[in-house]
Amino acid sequence: MSKGFVCADRKIAIISYEDIFRGHKIQTPRRVIKHSGNVPVYSISDLKKGDYVVHINHGIGIFQGLKRLDHDGVEKDYLILEYKDGDVLYVPIEQIDLIQKYIGLEKSRPSLHK
């Protein structure tokens, strides 16, 4: 049912999903990329600028620090991740669980994802 209605003589109102949630996005499940050998990040203190990290959904990038941004009138801290060709991803600090520290050979640098 795409739209609700009122039946006054029976004193009932039928409300559709669209009436209630109009304008709200339904989140789809996150695609998970598993990289064995990476270390979970539990705190921002586990990272330093220049560390290679793996975002569960976006792959390998470089941690470039923190930035405080205003989004819809709410200020929050974001992790700055840099990817191939200078692309940047801002990850809300409360989603730090989506980040893992990249572990690889010391002399070998991983390829950044796009």
Side-chain angles (χ1 to χ4, degrees):
M1 180 169 51
S2 64
K3 190 171 183 182
F5 60 92
V6 174
C7 185
D9 58 325
R10 298 218 185 229
K11 297 182 181 179
I12 62 169
I14 306 297
I15 302 170
S16 72
Y17 182 88
E18 182 67 24
D19 291 330
I20 297 170
F21 297 106
R22 182 177 298 132
H24 294 278
K25 292 182 182 177
I26 298 172
Q27 288 187 339
T28 55
R30 293 183 174 145
R31 179 176 60 107
V32 175
I33 300 172
K34 294 192 177 197
H35 294 276
S36 61
N38 298 323
V39 177
V41 175
Y42 297 107
S43 166
I44 192 64
S45 63
D46 294 339
L47 295 172
K48 66 179 187 288
K49 189 173 180 179
D51 281 347
Y52 285 92
V53 294
V54 180
H55 185 286
I56 289 175
N57 297 321
H58 299 284
I60 299 172
I62 301 172
F63 175 69
Q64 295 294 356
L66 282 177
K67 186 170 189 173
R68 190 156 191 81
L69 297 172
D70 182 295
H71 180 67
D72 292 334
V74 178
E75 282 195 10
K76 291 200 274 187
D77 290 324
Y78 290 82
L79 298 140
I80 304 168
L81 305 184
E82 183 179 347
Y83 287 89
K84 188 175 183 180
D85 298 330
D87 289 348
V88 174
L89 176 67
Y90 294 95
V91 179
I93 195 77
E94 63 269 14
Q95 293 180 12
I96 197 167
D97 61 318
L98 300 178
I99 308 295
Q100 298 175 344
K101 200 167 183 179
Y102 178 85
I103 302 297
L105 300 173
E106 288 183 27
K107 295 181 182 182
S108 172
R109 292 184 180 184
S111 297
L112 298 179
H113 290 168
K114 181 77 175 146

